[in-house]
Amino acid sequence: AAGTAFAFHTSIFSNHLNSVSPFATKLQRMGMLGRKRHFSKLVLKGSISSMFQSKGRTPEALKETAALLARKKFDLDIDAILAIEAERKVVQSKANELLHERNTKSKSIGMLKSKGEDVSSILEEVEGLKSQVQEYEAKMKDIEVKLEHMLLNIPNAPHESSPVGSDETENVEIYKWGEPKTFDFPVKDHVDVGAGLKGMDFAAATKISGARFVTLQGQVAQLHRALAQFMLDTHVEKHGYSEVYVPYIVNEETLIGTGQLPKFADDLFMTGHQDRKFYLIPTAEVPVTNLIRDTVLAQDELPIKYTAHTPCFRSEAGSYGRDTRGLIRQHQFEKVELVQIVHPDSSYQALEELTGHAEAILKALELPYRKMELCTGDLGFGAAKTYDLEVWLPAQNTYREISSCSNCEDFQAQRMKARFKSSDKNAKGNELVHTLNGSGLAIGRTLVAILENYQREDGSVEIPKVLRSYMGGKEVIEAAPSSSSSSKKPAVQAAS
């Protein structure tokens, strides 16, 4: 079945463990799989943080790991891990015992036949042993299903430098850039500004699709497109990224690889075709990062830097009643994503670089923002360390997130089996890459920030200088003329 963490090949009792699986190697260190590799051949599609994997299965080591994961508000069930380990040992021991007995009796059959002796009773015994082996095969499969569920739902451990905290109120401000503009007229929010430009229609989108959608028209739509083009050009031409075009519909294995499944299934839009499950991407991080799934790169290929412009689709489960007005929280929005695949030794330098690339867009647009370091309680499931960039929105008189830049270390690489061959001749085996991602930027929220920060008293909006060449040389988007036939209140969105 698609998305399962294990694939069985012939009888799991008669094959060797897949020796090329780095996940299996890690799990063996924990004792989750038998050191003798007698009877299992597994291809693991999911794993847990390398910190957890490398600690071993002793209660002391698990307690150390549990303390780290507790910083993320995750309760590692040590008793459950030890229980499944004990259960595995019993099943494996009994299975090996039965196999040994069956093999011994099977070998004797040929010898007895050559002597002309009756082997019917031994054949019955071998057949009986076969059914017992099948029984323990089923038990082992149940254990592995439990293991799969356990592994896929354990988050990445936070980096030691991430500030310890319980929620977003304990995130740490690194610095602010730019001074918020002062206005000598009442500031409108982006919904009212967009309505005045005849460029933003929520009622039409609600009629077509429902709440949390929008249609853009005219020069507002052009500005939205200009932002995407400007971001891509900047990242490709100035920051050294390679632009990629990727599918917007992906399979379960892809989402498991980057960590959205199984934990965040409710946040995804799912579709199907011919009994197969597919999902609309929640972010370009998913298909772009998976470009390196099941690959072994040469060390001199690193770093790899990708950028992509895609739509993103999110159900916003759990956000009922939040940001129901405007573009801040939509089911469909567009984003320019940044992804880096790097050597483990340079991933934290890469995080600073990638975050700086996202900041460069805000600086070029002259939008005031602040850089925040997320505390452990606010870190994402797959992130070891994250910076959020928050742009100033004058109508809300606050900063709102516009980019989140994370180092996932080898968490995603473990799940995707994404490795590189070290140039060090003394290196033992292939190593896991580190993956990073960030928005460079979210286009809808950038549009919100421009409409609010660049609005003028007459209802027009100044176009940021760096975007004017993408807008045919225009400097201003003029307010639409008012008329009795077109004057109506801006659409109020229904909560979803």
Side-chain angles (χ1 to χ4, degrees):
T4 184
F6 303 100
F8 291 85
H9 302 275
T10 66
S11 170
I12 63 171
F13 290 102
S14 60
N15 291 281
H16 294 290
L17 185 69
N18 184 352
S19 61
V20 300
S21 170
F23 303 154
T25 302
K26 297 284 188 179
L27 288 170
Q28 281 185 330
R29 294 175 189 168
M30 292 175 61
M32 288 295 194
L33 301 176
R35 291 190 181 94
K36 294 181 181 179
R37 304 198 224 177
H38 278 277
F39 59 95
S40 297
K41 184 175 182 180
L42 313 174
V43 179
L44 284 75
K45 301 298 184 185
S47 191
I48 54 180
S49 72
S50 59
M51 187 174 297
F52 177 44
Q53 290 169 320
S54 64
K55 291 298 180 182
R57 67 188 188 280
T58 64
E60 294 75 17
L62 290 174
K63 286 177 182 178
E64 182 180 346
T65 302
L68 289 167
L69 292 173
R71 297 178 184 179
K72 264 192 168 183
K73 300 186 293 187
F74 181 85
D75 183 14
L76 183 64
D77 193 339
I78 297 174
D79 291 339
I81 293 174
L82 296 176
I84 198 171
E85 163 68 353
E87 184 181 6
R88 180 203 61 76
K89 285 181 177 180
V90 170
V91 173
Q92 182 182 28
S93 177
K94 184 62 177 177
N96 289 337
E97 178 185 322
L98 290 168
L99 279 171
H100 177 72
E101 184 178 357
R102 181 185 175 190
N103 290 339
T104 300
K105 290 183 181 295
S106 295
K107 288 177 182 179
S108 69
I109 292 174
M111 296 174 60
L112 293 172
K113 279 185 175 181
S114 66
K115 295 178 181 180
E117 296 184 24
D118 182 17
V119 296
S120 57
S121 61
I122 297 180
L123 285 171
E124 288 180 7
E125 289 180 33
V126 169
E127 188 64 26
L129 288 168
K130 179 182 176 181
S131 63
Q132 290 183 63
V133 166
Q134 290 174 341
E135 177 186 343
Y136 277 88
E137 179 183 31
K139 289 181 179 179
M140 193 63 190
K141 186 173 182 178
D142 288 342
I143 291 172
E144 286 158 350
V145 168
K146 293 177 185 177
L147 179 61
E148 171 195 12
H149 179 77
M150 182 184 299
L151 299 184
L152 291 178
N153 284 280
I154 296 176
N156 198 0
H159 188 263
E160 59 184 9
S161 67
S162 294
V164 178
S166 59
D167 56 36
E168 62 183 9
T169 62
E170 296 184 76
N171 292 341
V172 178
E173 181 181 300
I174 306 300
Y175 55 74
K176 288 187 175 81
W177 183 91
E179 288 294 328
K181 181 180 177 181
T182 57
F183 295 86
D184 56 5
F185 58 89
V187 175
K188 298 178 181 177
D189 72 1
H190 67 280
V191 177
D192 289 341
V193 173
L197 300 173
K198 294 288 190 290
M200 195 177 293
D201 192 335
F202 293 98
T206 300
K207 176 177 65 177
I208 295 166
S209 299
R212 295 192 188 273
F213 290 93
V214 70
T215 65
L216 303 178
Q217 297 91 27
Q219 292 182 58
V220 174
Q222 185 181 0
L223 181 62
H224 186 270
R225 173 165 54 87
L227 281 167
Q229 191 65 52
F230 164 68
M231 291 174 191
L232 285 172
D233 287 349
T234 301
H235 296 314
V236 171
E237 296 169 9
K238 295 184 178 180
H239 300 152
Y241 288 80
S242 176
E243 183 177 355
V244 292
Y245 174 83
V246 290
Y248 305 156
I249 299 175
V250 297
N251 56 31
E252 285 185 316
E253 187 174 13
T254 298
L255 287 155
I256 289 171
T258 43
Q260 282 75 20
L261 284 179
K263 186 173 177 61
F264 301 106
D266 289 345
D267 294 330
L268 303 171
F269 283 105
M270 186 180 74
T271 184
H273 177 67
Q274 297 179 346
D275 298 324
R276 295 181 63 192
K277 286 183 180 179
F278 293 97
Y279 296 82
L280 302 182
I281 61 170
T283 165
E285 168 202 344
V286 173
V288 174
T289 309
N290 271 274
L291 289 172
I292 61 159
R293 190 176 79 215
D294 296 320
T295 60
V296 179
L297 303 163
Q299 184 171 327
D300 60 10
E301 292 182 79
L302 303 176
I304 296 172
K305 297 162 65 174
Y306 289 133
T307 186
H309 166 220
T310 70
C312 305
F313 305 90
R314 299 182 186 178
S315 70
E316 295 295 347
S319 61
Y320 180 84
R322 294 173 56 195
D323 298 313
T324 57
R325 178 176 170 85
L327 294 175
I328 294 295
R329 200 176 297 275
Q330 297 272 286
H331 288 312
Q332 174 185 310
F333 60 97
E334 295 190 18
K335 186 155 63 84
V336 170
E337 187 75 2
L338 304 175
V339 170
Q340 291 199 24
I341 316 298
V342 305
H343 190 285
D345 293 345
S346 61
S347 65
Y348 280 94
Q349 178 183 346
L351 177 60
E352 300 298 328
E353 177 190 76
L354 184 147
T355 307
H357 294 158
E359 291 181 71
I361 301 297
L362 290 166
K363 290 176 180 177
L365 294 169
E366 300 182 79
L367 292 171
Y369 71 91
R370 66 179 182 178
K371 180 179 179 180
M372 304 290 291
E373 183 174 3
L374 299 195
C375 72
T376 54
D378 199 31
L379 281 175
F381 180 76
K385 187 180 181 70
T386 297
Y387 293 119
D388 272 5
L389 303 179
E390 299 179 349
V391 69
W392 175 255
L393 297 184
Q396 295 187 21
N397 195 37
T398 193
Y399 291 92
R400 295 298 302 266
E401 179 197 335
I402 197 169
S403 175
S404 190
C405 302
S406 299
N407 185 357
C408 297
E409 295 187 354
D410 66 1
F411 180 78
Q412 293 176 330
Q414 291 275 11
R415 299 166 78 103
M416 297 187 299
K417 292 195 292 186
R419 296 156 288 166
F420 71 96
K421 184 175 180 60
S422 175
S423 57
D424 182 358
K425 294 181 180 180
N426 296 320
K428 295 181 180 180
N430 299 319
E431 298 181 47
L432 293 164
V433 299
H434 280 197
T435 62
L436 302 94
N437 63 79
S439 303
L441 303 164
I443 298 169
R445 292 194 178 193
T446 308
L447 178 65
V448 168
I450 289 173
L451 293 179
E452 293 196 7
N453 283 280
Y454 281 86
Q455 64 179 292
R456 304 199 303 190
E457 187 172 11
D458 62 0
S460 63
V461 173
E462 182 184 354
I463 298 170
K465 294 182 178 66
V466 293
L467 296 180
R468 291 174 185 175
S469 62
Y470 295 92
M471 296 287 292
K474 297 185 185 73
E475 297 183 2
V476 175
I477 299 177
E478 299 291 349
S482 60
S483 64
S484 57
S485 62
S486 61
S487 61
K488 52 186 177 181
K489 295 179 180 179
V492 177
Q493 295 170 278
S496 64

